[in-house]
Amino acid sequence: MIRKFGLENDIQYVLLTEEQIQTRVREMGEQISREYAGKNPLLVCVLRGAVPFYADLCRNISDYMEMDFMAVSSYNDGMSSHGMVRFKKDLDTSIENRHVIIVEDIMDSGKTLNHLTRLLGTRNPASLKIACLLDKPSRRECEITPDYCGFVVPNEFVVGYGLDYAGTYRNLPYIGVLKPEVYSDVE
Ligand code: IMP
Ligand code: MG
């Protein structure tokens, strides 16, 4: 089934289809289910970009698990990082002695997840891992890699399936690259 969206006119090409994403997220859920069997992991969703990935990943975990949410801000409304990570919402759950998996949409410079893992690491979790849907290793500025990665992507600015440009495009069911004219007047 091909879904049509008005905002699809802004997409230059599709990098990852809905089907590719769903297949991979199912595999990731199955892997996490096996590796965390009996551990009741706490999956931490990094708002807002991780929401679609988080919801699909959790539904593919077939053992006991719990959910919690954090919000950080690491990007301006545009496309480049200002290098600062600001916490806007902390967890509601204590993670002491818990097996924690941070779930993020994309690892780019790595600054956001570097900061988050350091902070959560001080709270004495039993273990702390990172699941990212996308990884852009060519952009890395910190020594960090995701423990679970959906797809390695090239150095392109992507939108959809949670990823936004200036708050928009998160609701696309696939991941694509914007037409240059959509943002060329901003940068
Ligand atoms: P990092 O701290 O540089 O790793 O950036 C992580 C955050 O930057 C992600 O959570 C995204 O919100 C944002 N980001 C990085 N690359 C992209 C992209 O290609 N599209 C949309 N957002 C991105
Ligand atoms: Mg984000």
Side-chain angles (χ1 to χ4, degrees):
M1 184 181 71
I2 296 172
R3 298 198 211 172
K4 280 287 175 201
F5 284 79
L7 66 166
E8 282 188 319
N9 294 329
D10 296 346
I11 301 295
Q12 186 164 49
Y13 63 92
V14 175
L15 189 67
L16 296 164
T17 65
E18 183 173 7
E19 194 186 0
Q20 285 175 303
I21 295 168
Q22 293 299 330
T23 302
R24 183 69 188 118
V25 174
R26 197 174 312 124
E27 287 170 1
M28 295 174 83
E30 287 166 1
Q31 186 184 355
I32 289 171
S33 305
R34 282 194 303 276
E35 294 181 6
Y36 285 82
K39 292 184 171 173
N40 189 28
L42 179 72
L43 272 82
V44 171
C45 177
V46 184
L47 296 170
R48 288 169 280 182
V51 167
F53 172 46
Y54 183 79
D56 286 338
L57 184 67
C58 292
R59 280 178 291 188
N60 282 291
I61 293 178
S62 53
D63 202 351
Y64 296 98
M65 60 149 288
E66 290 177 30
M67 296 185 176
D68 204 349
F69 301 84
M70 290 194 93
V72 297
S73 120
S74 62
Y75 257 59
N76 288 316
D77 274 353
M79 300 167 66
S80 59
S81 172
H82 48 64
M84 297 281 289
V85 177
R86 202 161 55 85
F87 288 86
K88 296 199 285 192
K89 184 209 172 299
D90 202 344
L91 298 173
D92 292 324
T93 316
S94 164
I95 60 167
E96 192 163 357
N97 295 322
R98 294 294 306 266
H99 293 282
V100 177
I101 306 175
I102 303 174
V103 181
E104 217 343 3
D105 51 3
I106 185 166
M107 190 183 283
D108 188 36
S109 73
K111 286 178 190 165
T112 307
L113 282 160
N114 197 38
H115 201 99
L116 264 181
T117 46
R118 275 174 199 230
L119 177 96
L120 297 187
T122 64
R123 299 181 185 176
N124 300 321
S127 68
L128 182 58
K129 288 197 176 177
I130 298 168
C132 278
L133 180 70
L134 306 180
D135 186 10
K136 266 190 209 172
S138 59
R139 299 252 309 167
R140 202 73 88 249
E141 293 175 37
C142 314
E143 266 188 47
I144 185 168
T145 45
D147 300 283
Y148 302 96
C149 166
F151 304 91
V152 173
V153 293
N155 185 12
E156 298 253 35
F157 191 81
V158 293
V159 297
Y161 196 67
L163 292 138
D164 72 306
Y165 169 61
T168 318
Y169 307 105
R170 294 190 198 272
N171 53 319
L172 283 172
Y174 55 80
I175 290 170
V177 174
L178 285 177
K179 290 178 182 165
E181 60 262 33
V182 176
Y183 49 81
S184 57
D185 55 345
V186 178
E187 287 246 303

